[in-house]
């Protein structure tokens, strides 16, 4: 029954979120007590729905790029021929994580101008580490007898990777992608400081005009998206882990 | 026929296999025994080139195994290991089909082969084919592991402690099954173990290794009669010798004319089983049945005791 209840709660959150994005004006009376001096309770400079879609697209685009690069790099450094590049790629990916996204934005704007691109690059760099480390863990902790059997049955290196290593590492890779997406969902909001179209726009507008209602609606929408996407991916990981029969998740 | 010719493997200054030569007859079971670190597994893994030798050659039916691409060589040779190594994300049927798939067999031939093997290993194809490895018991996993190794009809099967993870009862059953399957397919089997009991139970010839060297390569009977070194003798176990010898020969070889009381024993049973039965039941003699199940003679404690020493 607990599974059913938690599912119902998530469904309710999803419905509330969808309603709010489609018809934010319905919530105006609810948000009005948070405003002062008759300020507008609902952000109307841009449609919340289109901001959300643009926010999500940016996060997904950056995560797809991070996934391709991080998984590719992890595969490369776990091959016999690429082993010596492991320390180098670890440092590179770590730099991506330690560099504050705000600093990436500040450095990227002079080169790429205002708008979407600086944010995409910051999200891409920031998303590399969890995916890379999880993929690395997945590929280096495969059960010894299984790998021995893969070689012993006469699979080539490529066949071992495609047929055995990646399928068995998949739940862990998915775990890395999940962490990366959730971090990016939050981080994308600061992209609006350099004119990227994200839900950060609403929060920044709220901060500038001292409008708590704006800050709250921007923040809550991002938080709800993060929770829903996180839970969906956890569910997908469980399914994938069951399918591999190994029961390893991040 | 497998010809191992002066093969050595060294890792830096450490020699793990030291100039080993032996010839293995087609259709026989050879068991390589030794303590851990004796080089027995390395020797086995050089046959399918999971380990590349430092010196020497191995010829399989006259063909140098170094001349065949490693993955193609391994598809021709069955390989079963301790802890089975089944692919956890694939069903039993898919696991068994691994090598035939790699070889590009047509699907109907693969399906037929999988079904044949599952039946041979007493696993119902309908019930077990779609299961995943984590839904199997230890004994079932081990059988699927051997079935996978045999799937592409290899002439040669390498087994690295295949029964190491099984409990004694299932282990004995698995050994009997292996003997039956070897008879059925006529596969040449090379099996590595540290268990002398297993070696004497399965082997046509036993190879004893220690410190990378091949100490003795002989039939079980020869080895009991003339152990090459003290180490071989100690591995056999001084106190075990008469019983191992009895275990190697069937009752019918000690049978004499005459009658005896009580439950008969099959002429194909081992002499050790007959002696155990005599000692336990306190009888002086047992009736012995021939292949047709009719009593053909008897076996006595005295006649068995004569068999318990090398001739």
């Amino acid at each position: 029954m607990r599974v059913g209840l938690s599912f119902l709660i998530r469904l309710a959150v999803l419905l509330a979120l969808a309603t709010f994005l489609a018809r934010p004006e319905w919530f105006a009376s609810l948000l009005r007590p948070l405003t002062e001096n008759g300020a507008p309770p609902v952000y109307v400079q841009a449609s919340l729905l289109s901001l959300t879609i643009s926010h999500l697209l940016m996060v997904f685009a950056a995560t797809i790029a991070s996934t391709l690069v991080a998984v590719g790099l992890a595969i490369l450094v776990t091959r016999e021929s690429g082993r010596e590049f492991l320390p180098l790629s670890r440092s590179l990916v770590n730099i991506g994580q330690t560099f504050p996204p705000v600093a990436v934005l500040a450095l990227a704007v002079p080169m790429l101008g205002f708008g979407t691109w600086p944010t995409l690059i910051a999200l891409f760099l920031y998303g590399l580490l969890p995916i890379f480390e999880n993929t690395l863990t997945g590929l280096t902790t495969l059960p010894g007898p299984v790998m021995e059997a893969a070689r012993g049955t006469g699979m080539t290196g490529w066949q071992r990777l495609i047929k055995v290593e990646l399928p068995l590492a998949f739940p862990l890779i998915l775990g890395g992608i999940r962490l990366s997406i959730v971090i990016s969902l939050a981080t994308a909001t600061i992209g609006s400081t350099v004119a990227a179209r994200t839900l950060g726009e609403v929060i920044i507008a709220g901060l500038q005009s001292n409008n708590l209602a704006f800050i709250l609606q921007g923040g809550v929408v991002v938080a709800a998206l993060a929770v829903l996407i996180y839970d969906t991916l956890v569910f997908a990981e469980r399914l994938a882990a069951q399918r591999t029969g190994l029961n390893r998740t991040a | 026929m497998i010809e191992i010719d002066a093969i050595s493997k060294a890792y830096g200054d450490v020699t793990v296999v030291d100039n080993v030569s032996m010839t293995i007859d087609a259709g026989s079971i050879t068991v390589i025994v030794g303590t851990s670190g004796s080089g027995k597994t390395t020797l086995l893994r050089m046959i399918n080139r999971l380990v590349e030798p430092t010196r020497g050659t191995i010829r399989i039916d006259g063909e140098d195994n170094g001349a065949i691409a490693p993955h193609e060589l391994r598809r021709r040779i069955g390989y079963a290991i301790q802890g089975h190594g089944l692919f956890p994300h694939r069903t039993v049927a898919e696991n068994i089909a691994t090598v035939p798939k790699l070889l590009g067999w047509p699907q109907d031939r693969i399906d037929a082969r999988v079904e044949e093997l599952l039946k041979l290993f007493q696993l119902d194809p309908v019930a077990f084919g779609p299961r995943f490895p984590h839904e199997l018991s230890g004994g079932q996993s081990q059988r699927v592991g051997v079935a996978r190794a045999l799937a592409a009809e290899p002439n040669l099967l390498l087994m690295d402690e295949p029964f190491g993870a099984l409990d004694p009862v299932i282990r004995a059953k698995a050994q009997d099954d292996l003997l039956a399957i070897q008879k059925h397919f006529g596969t040449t089997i090379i099996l590595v173990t540290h268990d002398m009991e297993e070696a004497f139970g399965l082997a046509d010839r036993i190879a004893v290794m220690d410190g990378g060297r091949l100490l003795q390569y002989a039939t079980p009977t020869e080895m009991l009669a003339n152990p090459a070194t003290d180490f071989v003798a100690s591995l056999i176990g001084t106190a075990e010798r008469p019983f191992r010898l009895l275990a190697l020969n069937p009752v019918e070889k000690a049978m004499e004319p005459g009658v005896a009381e009580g439950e008969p024993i099959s002429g194909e049973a081992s002499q050790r089983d007959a002696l155990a039965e005599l000692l336990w039941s306190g009888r002086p003699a047992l009736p012995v049945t021939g292949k047709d199940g009719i009593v053909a003679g008897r076996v006595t404690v005295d006649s068995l005791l004569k068999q318990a020493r090398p001739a």
Side-chain angles (χ1 to χ4, degrees), chain B:
Chain B
M1 192 169 70
I2 323 304
E3 294 160 278
I4 298 174
D5 190 0
I7 204 103
S8 294
K9 177 66 189 179
Y11 293 100
D13 291 337
V14 187
T15 305
V16 283
V17 173
D18 189 1
N19 198 24
V20 169
S21 294
M22 59 198 277
T23 302
I24 292 154
D25 292 331
S28 70
I29 302 184
T30 300
V31 177
I32 306 173
V33 285
T35 50
S36 45
S38 62
K40 56 188 193 300
T41 293
T42 308
L43 179 63
L44 187 83
R45 287 159 54 96
M46 282 194 282
I47 298 172
N48 65 358
R49 289 180 66 192
L50 285 172
V51 173
E52 295 290 350
T54 312
R55 275 186 308 281
T57 50
I58 294 175
R59 286 183 296 277
I60 300 171
D61 297 324
E63 196 175 3
D64 184 350
N65 76 345
I68 309 166
H71 63 276
E72 281 171 22
L73 177 75
R74 288 176 206 140
R75 289 173 193 177
R76 288 193 216 167
I77 300 175
Y79 186 54
I81 52 177
Q82 177 168 15
H84 59 74
L86 294 178
F87 301 128
H89 59 304
R90 294 198 180 177
T91 64
V92 166
E94 287 166 345
N95 263 287
I96 296 176
T98 303
V99 185
K101 268 240 163 71
L102 291 173
L103 290 170
W105 286 16
Q107 191 60 44
D108 51 347
R109 184 174 170 203
I110 296 178
D111 293 342
R113 180 65 177 168
V114 168
E115 194 179 325
E116 179 194 359
L117 282 166
L118 280 171
K119 279 184 184 153
L120 202 63
F121 282 90
Q122 296 133 46
L123 296 167
D124 175 19
V126 178
F128 284 92
R131 282 197 202 174
F132 282 91
H134 66 92
E135 298 169 305
L136 302 177
S137 71
Q140 289 163 350
S141 305
Q142 189 276 336
R143 275 182 273 167
V144 175
V146 179
R148 179 177 64 184
L150 290 169
E153 300 169 359
N155 292 323
L156 174 59
L157 172 61
L158 307 179
M159 309 182 88
D160 190 359
E161 308 231 7
F163 311 125
L166 302 181
D167 66 60
V169 176
I170 297 174
R171 194 177 172 130
K173 167 94 170 67
Q175 290 164 352
D176 288 344
D177 288 350
L178 183 69
L179 286 173
I181 277 155
Q182 198 268 342
K183 232 175 216 167
H184 184 87
F185 290 121
T187 316
T188 311
I189 297 179
I190 305 175
L191 184 146
V192 159
T193 182
H194 60 263
D195 178 357
M196 254 340 216
E197 188 75 23
E198 183 164 277
F200 275 93
L202 295 173
D204 294 312
R205 287 173 87 89
I206 298 176
V208 178
M209 289 197 61
D210 187 43
R213 291 175 168 276
L214 179 62
L215 297 183
Q216 189 169 15
Y217 178 47
T219 65
T221 317
E222 274 168 44
M223 194 168 280
L224 282 169
N226 301 304
T229 67
D230 290 344
F231 178 77
V232 177
S234 75
L235 210 57
I236 296 169
T238 323
E240 293 290 330
R241 282 180 302 184
F243 306 106
R244 293 211 195 280
L245 194 57
L246 285 173
L248 288 172
N249 290 303
V251 173
E252 56 197 4
K253 278 179 76 178
M255 191 172 70
E256 57 185 43
V259 288
E261 294 291 304
E263 191 72 16
I265 189 164
S266 160
E268 289 171 1
S270 82
Q271 294 179 352
R272 179 160 70 177
D273 291 348
L275 183 63
E277 180 58 32
L278 283 167
L279 293 176
W280 196 248
S281 63
R283 289 182 279 172
L286 282 179
V288 178
T289 57
K291 280 200 174 62
D292 47 12
I294 297 165
V295 175
R298 63 172 189 173
V299 65
T300 63
V301 175
D302 280 347
S303 66
L304 285 175
L305 293 188
K306 278 189 199 113
Q307 300 277 332
R309 278 183 297 132

Side-chain angles (χ1 to χ4, degrees), chain A residues 88-147:
Chain A
L88 177 68
S89 27
R90 263 225 163 102
S91 335
L92 278 177
V93 169
N94 273 311
I95 289 170
Q97 186 78 5
T98 47
F99 223 65
V102 176
V104 176
L105 292 183
L107 288 173
V109 167
M111 283 183 279
L112 302 163
F114 284 89
T116 306
W117 282 104
T119 313
L120 272 178
I121 286 172
L123 294 182
F124 162 73
L125 289 176
Y126 220 49
L128 285 174
L129 182 81
I131 304 177
F132 178 74
E133 283 297 334
N134 264 33
T135 309
L136 210 55
T137 308
L139 290 176
T140 51
T141 57
L142 296 165
V146 173
M147 292 315 296

